[in-house]
């Protein structure tokens, strides 16, 4: 990769209570340009929502699963929450609704931890009763904290989204891209899921088995509470299949259990994982198989 000296790149984390409109905004911000992450180094702390690449910038949008839930246990978990969602972000997008009150208990610790990189988005301005209500709300937030910016938006109607983008870019650090810019897919979540399984196989087996293994998540169905996945694990020979599955299936079970635990942290949801092992003779040498696996 050849980068420009002033290339900007960073992690932009979206936080906010459920239903404020985070996903709607994401879709507007990323548009059709969703690309993926190919690095195994990705931590399991964040759920990558999408990436936006330009000639001289790369924005990696993510959120932290399960945060700012109303039942969120404050105090003890708060510091960890702050660390995860705030410190790791280069730019934090804090999203509230136009009718929302200031939840000091929740917000104070976050704001104490970060200076100058929080952009407050006051969403759903289309629901504001009138101009005055909106102005009152904005001055309420202004008084509460000195945000890097306060932008009233309607994620749904696409109002002021360009301003959000401009402000993000303004606060993004100069940094080379974190991920290759030329790899695109519409299935980043499947990719992460297969990487997690692959990692467990590498940790469990020695020598040639991991290197002869490929994992494809062929089904990925997400609903509100659970993600159901089907993973197809290909090995090159029957003997490898035997090793992978293990005595009475113990090997495969171990991989599945460990992978599922990590996936649940990563996706912030319960995961149901089905695994199938099949022999794809010499898949590594077969070109059509390789392209199917995404190489
Ligand atoms: P999330 O839980 O924060 O990701 O919220 P979603 O993006 O899923 O949105 C929750 C609900 O709010 C959905 O019904 C959206 O259509 C709606 N919504 C999001 N943005 C706006 C907006 O700007 N105006 C209005 N009226 N509704 C919105
Ligand atoms: Mg959402």
């Amino acid at each position: 990769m050849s980068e420009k000296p002033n290339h900007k790149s960073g992690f932009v984390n979206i936080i906010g209570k459920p239903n404020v409109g985070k996903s709607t905004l994401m879709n507007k911000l990323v548009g059709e340009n969703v690309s993926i992450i190919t690095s195994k180094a990705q931590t399991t702390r964040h759920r990558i929502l999408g990436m936006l690449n330009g000639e001289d910038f790369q924005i990696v949008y993510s959120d932290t699963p399960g945060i700012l839930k109303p039942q969120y246990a404050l105090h003890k978990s708060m510091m960890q929450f702050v660390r995860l969602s705030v410190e790791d972000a280069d730019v934090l997008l804090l999203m509230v609704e136009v009718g929302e009150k200031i939840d000091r208990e929740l917000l104070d610790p976050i704001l104490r931890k970060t200076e100058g990189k929080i952009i407050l988005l006051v969403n759903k301005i289309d629901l504001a009763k009138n101009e005055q209500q909106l102005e009152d709300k904005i001055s309420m937030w202004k008084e509460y904290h000195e945000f890097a910016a306060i932008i009233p938006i309607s994620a749904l109607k696409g109002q002021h989204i360009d301003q959000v983008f401009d402000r993000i870019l303004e606060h993004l650090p100069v940094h080379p891209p974190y991920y290759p810019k030329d790899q695109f897919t519409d299935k980043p979540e499947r990719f992460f899921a297969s990487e997690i399984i692959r990692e467990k196989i590498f940790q469990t087996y020695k020598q040639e088995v991991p290197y002869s293994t490929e994992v494809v998540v062929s089904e990925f169905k997400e609903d509100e509470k659970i993600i159901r996945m089907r993973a197809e694990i290909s090995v090159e020979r029957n003997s490898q299949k035997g090793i992978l599955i293990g005595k009475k299936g113990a090997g495969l079970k171990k991989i599945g259990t460990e992978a599922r635990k990590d996936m649940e942290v990563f996706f912030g949801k319960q995961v149901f994982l089905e695994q199938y092992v099949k022999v794809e003779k010499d898949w590594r040498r077969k070109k059509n198989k390789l392209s199917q696996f995404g190489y």
Side-chain angles (χ1 to χ4, degrees):
M1 279 183 281
S2 67
E3 283 97 42
K4 312 208 147 126
N6 290 325
H7 187 279
K8 288 182 154 193
S9 188
F11 292 83
V12 177
N13 205 335
I14 307 177
I15 63 169
K17 292 188 173 178
N19 267 333
V20 291
K22 299 184 294 295
S23 301
T24 310
L25 175 71
M26 266 307 304
N27 290 335
K28 286 280 177 351
L29 282 171
V30 175
E32 291 161 15
N33 298 304
V34 180
S35 70
I36 72 139
I37 290 81
T38 53
S39 164
K40 218 183 144 193
Q42 177 59 39
T43 69
T44 53
R45 289 179 183 178
H46 286 133
R47 172 177 183 180
I48 303 289
L49 298 175
M51 208 186 322
L52 190 63
N53 285 311
E55 208 173 309
D56 41 25
F57 69 87
Q58 178 177 71
I59 305 173
V60 186
Y61 290 107
S62 54
D63 72 5
T64 306
I67 65 159
L68 294 194
K69 294 261 163 69
Q71 72 274 26
Y72 188 82
L74 289 161
H75 315 303
K76 201 175 129 208
S77 328
M78 183 52 87
M79 289 324 291
Q80 195 199 359
F81 155 66
V82 171
R83 182 171 57 79
L84 293 183
S85 62
V86 178
E87 286 186 350
D88 285 0
D90 294 301
V91 178
L92 196 69
L93 301 180
L94 171 61
M95 192 183 242
V96 296
E97 283 184 36
V98 80
E100 201 171 314
K101 295 200 182 92
I102 299 174
D103 187 341
R104 286 170 192 275
E105 208 178 352
L106 201 60
L107 294 179
D108 283 356
I110 299 170
L111 300 179
R112 229 179 283 131
K113 270 273 167 183
T114 40
E115 286 305 328
K117 61 172 184 181
I118 303 180
I119 298 173
L120 181 78
L121 305 177
V122 182
N123 191 29
K124 307 197 184 179
I125 55 169
D126 55 299
L127 299 181
K129 288 192 192 82
N130 48 47
E131 279 294 309
Q132 193 55 48
Q133 190 205 11
L134 186 57
E135 274 171 34
D136 290 348
K137 286 287 173 183
I138 287 168
S139 33
M140 171 187 88
W141 285 104
K142 260 191 193 144
E143 241 169 74
Y144 170 56
H145 183 80
E146 200 178 320
F147 291 100
I150 297 180
I151 313 172
I153 64 166
S154 171
L156 190 65
K157 309 250 150 118
Q159 285 173 288
H160 307 164
I161 305 302
D162 46 347
Q163 287 182 35
V164 178
F165 173 77
D166 290 346
R167 286 310 184 108
I168 291 170
L169 212 53
E170 185 187 318
H171 291 280
L172 213 60
V174 172
H175 194 281
Y178 285 92
Y179 303 103
K181 284 179 140 186
D182 54 354
Q183 273 153 335
F184 292 90
T185 171
D186 58 345
K187 297 281 182 287
E189 296 181 322
R190 289 183 196 221
F191 174 80
F192 287 121
S194 64
E195 282 296 274
I196 290 170
I197 297 171
R198 243 162 54 82
E199 182 191 86
K200 299 307 166 198
I201 294 170
F202 266 86
Q203 288 167 356
T204 307
Y205 300 101
K206 293 186 181 73
Q207 292 165 12
E208 29 86 63
V209 170
Y211 293 98
S212 305
T213 302
E214 190 46 275
V215 181
V216 171
V217 173
S218 54
E219 262 180 46
F220 189 102
K221 289 186 189 148
E222 179 167 9
D223 63 34
E224 210 158 319
K225 291 228 170 75
I226 191 166
I227 304 172
R228 292 169 208 280
M229 271 182 246
R230 178 191 167 98
E232 285 171 20
I233 303 173
S234 298
V235 291
E236 291 187 302
R237 285 189 293 278
N238 256 319
S239 58
Q240 295 165 343
K241 181 177 172 177
I243 295 170
L244 194 74
I245 292 174
K247 256 187 204 154
K248 293 184 179 167
L252 193 63
K253 193 175 170 193
K254 177 174 181 278
I255 288 161
T257 305
E258 289 177 1
R260 189 173 48 73
K261 274 188 200 150
D262 279 10
M263 287 174 183
E264 289 183 341
V265 174
F266 185 84
F267 293 111
K269 263 185 199 177
Q270 209 183 323
V271 166
F272 177 75
L273 174 64
E274 274 183 294
Q275 301 180 109
Y276 296 88
V277 182
K278 58 184 182 180
V279 179
E280 298 262 356
K281 221 164 173 290
D282 297 330
W283 65 261
R284 276 192 286 186
R285 254 167 275 148
K286 285 180 186 160
K287 207 167 178 265
N288 62 333
K289 280 291 160 205
L290 290 180
S291 66
Q292 182 190 317
F293 290 138
Y295 288 105

